[in-house]
Amino acid sequence: MLPQLPPRKLDAHKGDFGRALLIGGSRGMSGAITLAGVAALRGGTGLVTLAVPSGIQAVTAAYEPSYMTWGLPEDPAGKIAWEADNPARAELFARCESSTAVGVGPGLGQSPQIEDLVAELYQRVRQPLVVDADGLNALAARPAALRQPGGPRILTPHPGEFGRLASAAGIPGHDQISQAVRFAEACRAVVVLKGHRSLITNGEQSEINATGNPGMATGGMGDILTGVITALLCQGLGPFAAAQLGCHAHGLAGDLAVVELGQVSLIASDMPRYLPAAFRALERSASIASVTPIAADV
C-alpha cells in the first residue's frame, strides 16, 4: 500500500499545506530550480519560495507567477555567495526555520562556498531537507556533514552521485543496492537511489519504485522529483513516506506523459502538466482501496 495524503478540509487555506523553500539555481542553470518550484506547486504545497542568485531572480520569477522568489548575493560566476560576513546568512536560516520543508541543489553549481553552504544547511536546519544534484556533490566534498544531520534528510542521488557519497562516507561495497541501505542507516537519512527501478531506503525499510519509463532519462527529471518530494513533506508525510509516494507519483506522471508524447520527445518541462492526472489517479485508487465490500443477504 502506498502512503496517502490526508484529505483536504473544506475550510482549508494555503497555510495548511505547508511552506516550501527551494535553494538553487546559478547563471546558466536557472531552469533546474524553476522546474523544482513548479513541481512543488503541482505536488500540492501551499506556498513555494525559490531562493536564487540575484542575477537570475528576474528570469526565475518570470517563469511561473504562482511561486515567490528571493534573490541571494552571488559570486562573479553567478553562483550563490556564502562568505562569513554575508548579510543574507541570518535571513536564510530564518527562512528555513519558518518553512515546513526545504530543498537544495537544483542548478546550484559547484564551488568551495557552495560546499560550505550545503554542509551548513545539512547540519543546522531542523526541518526536513531534500538534497539533490550539486547539493549532493557538495556533501561528497564535505563528508563530515553526512553523519551530523540537523533534522530529517532525504538524499536523491543517481548512481554516479551515490558512488561519490558512499566513498566520501566510507561505506564499502560493489552492489549499490546493499550499499545504499548501509549508507542510509549509517547517515540516518532516507536515500532515493534513482534508476530504472529506484530504491527508497532508510536503512531499516526499503521499497523499489515500479513506475517510470526510459523517456524520463533526460535532463531536469531529478529537479521535478525534488519538488514533488518537498511538496509531500510540506503536507505532513514523513521522510520515507514522502520519498516513496513522490517517486511513485513522479514515475506515474511520466508514464501518463508518454502515452501522449512518446518516449523520444518527453522532456522535464512536460511533467508538471501530468502531475495533476497522476495525483488524481492516486486519489481514485485510494478511494477504491478504502471501500469495504458488504456481503449481500442470501
Side-chain angles (χ1 to χ4, degrees):
M1 294 292 294
L2 285 167
Q4 297 178 26
L5 286 170
R8 297 195 167 200
K9 298 178 181 179
L10 291 176
D11 61 348
H13 58 83
K14 59 191 176 186
D16 292 333
F17 307 117
R19 298 171 178 266
L21 177 65
L22 298 172
I23 306 164
S26 58
R27 186 184 304 153
M29 292 194 289
S30 59
I33 195 67
T34 58
L35 288 172
V38 174
L41 289 167
R42 289 296 188 187
T45 312
L47 291 163
V48 176
T49 299
L50 308 188
V52 301
S54 57
I56 67 166
Q57 183 179 6
V59 69
T60 302
Y63 187 87
E64 171 54 57
S66 301
Y67 53 53
M68 297 169 283
T69 61
W70 175 41
L72 289 164
E74 64 179 14
D75 66 15
K79 302 179 180 71
I80 295 173
W82 196 246
E83 300 95 343
D85 58 349
N86 191 326
R89 292 174 71 96
E91 185 177 357
L92 178 59
F93 284 104
R95 286 181 181 244
C96 289
E97 192 71 24
S98 63
S99 299
T100 313
V102 180
V104 62
L108 195 60
Q110 298 182 52
S111 72
Q113 289 190 9
I114 293 294
E115 294 168 4
D116 292 341
L117 164 64
V118 175
E120 194 168 353
L121 289 169
Y122 201 86
Q123 293 173 289
R124 286 186 54 184
V125 170
R126 295 183 294 177
Q127 283 69 21
L129 178 67
V130 184
V131 187
D132 185 38
D134 283 326
L136 299 169
N137 292 325
L139 287 177
R142 297 285 193 273
L146 284 168
R147 296 181 184 271
Q148 298 175 348
R153 300 292 181 255
I154 301 175
L155 309 180
T156 61
H158 58 57
E161 291 165 339
F162 179 71
R164 291 189 287 274
L165 284 171
S167 177
I171 306 295
H174 299 289
D175 172 14
Q176 283 200 330
I177 297 295
S178 59
Q179 196 177 19
V181 173
R182 293 195 297 273
F183 179 96
E185 182 178 17
C187 296
R188 292 171 289 154
V190 173
V191 173
V192 176
L193 181 57
K194 296 183 292 193
H196 167 58
R197 288 290 179 254
S198 296
L199 169 74
I200 304 102
T201 182
N202 60 8
E204 297 180 357
Q205 183 180 4
S206 299
E207 297 286 345
I208 298 293
N209 183 58
T211 58
N213 61 81
M216 298 173 70
T218 186
M221 286 294 176
D223 306 316
I224 298 288
L225 180 61
T226 296
V228 172
I229 293 176
T230 304
L232 298 177
L233 290 167
C234 284
Q235 293 168 87
L237 292 188
F240 186 86
Q244 183 186 7
L245 184 59
C247 286
H248 184 90
H250 178 254
L252 180 57
D255 291 340
L256 294 170
V258 298
V259 173
E260 180 179 350
L261 303 176
Q263 293 185 0
V264 173
S265 296
L266 177 62
I267 59 175
S269 58
D270 294 323
M271 291 287 285
R273 292 193 289 123
Y274 294 91
L275 283 169
F279 280 107
R280 288 181 65 190
L282 288 169
E283 289 173 0
R284 288 194 298 270
S285 63
S287 297
I288 293 170
S290 66
V291 173
T292 303
I294 301 175
D297 294 333
V298 177

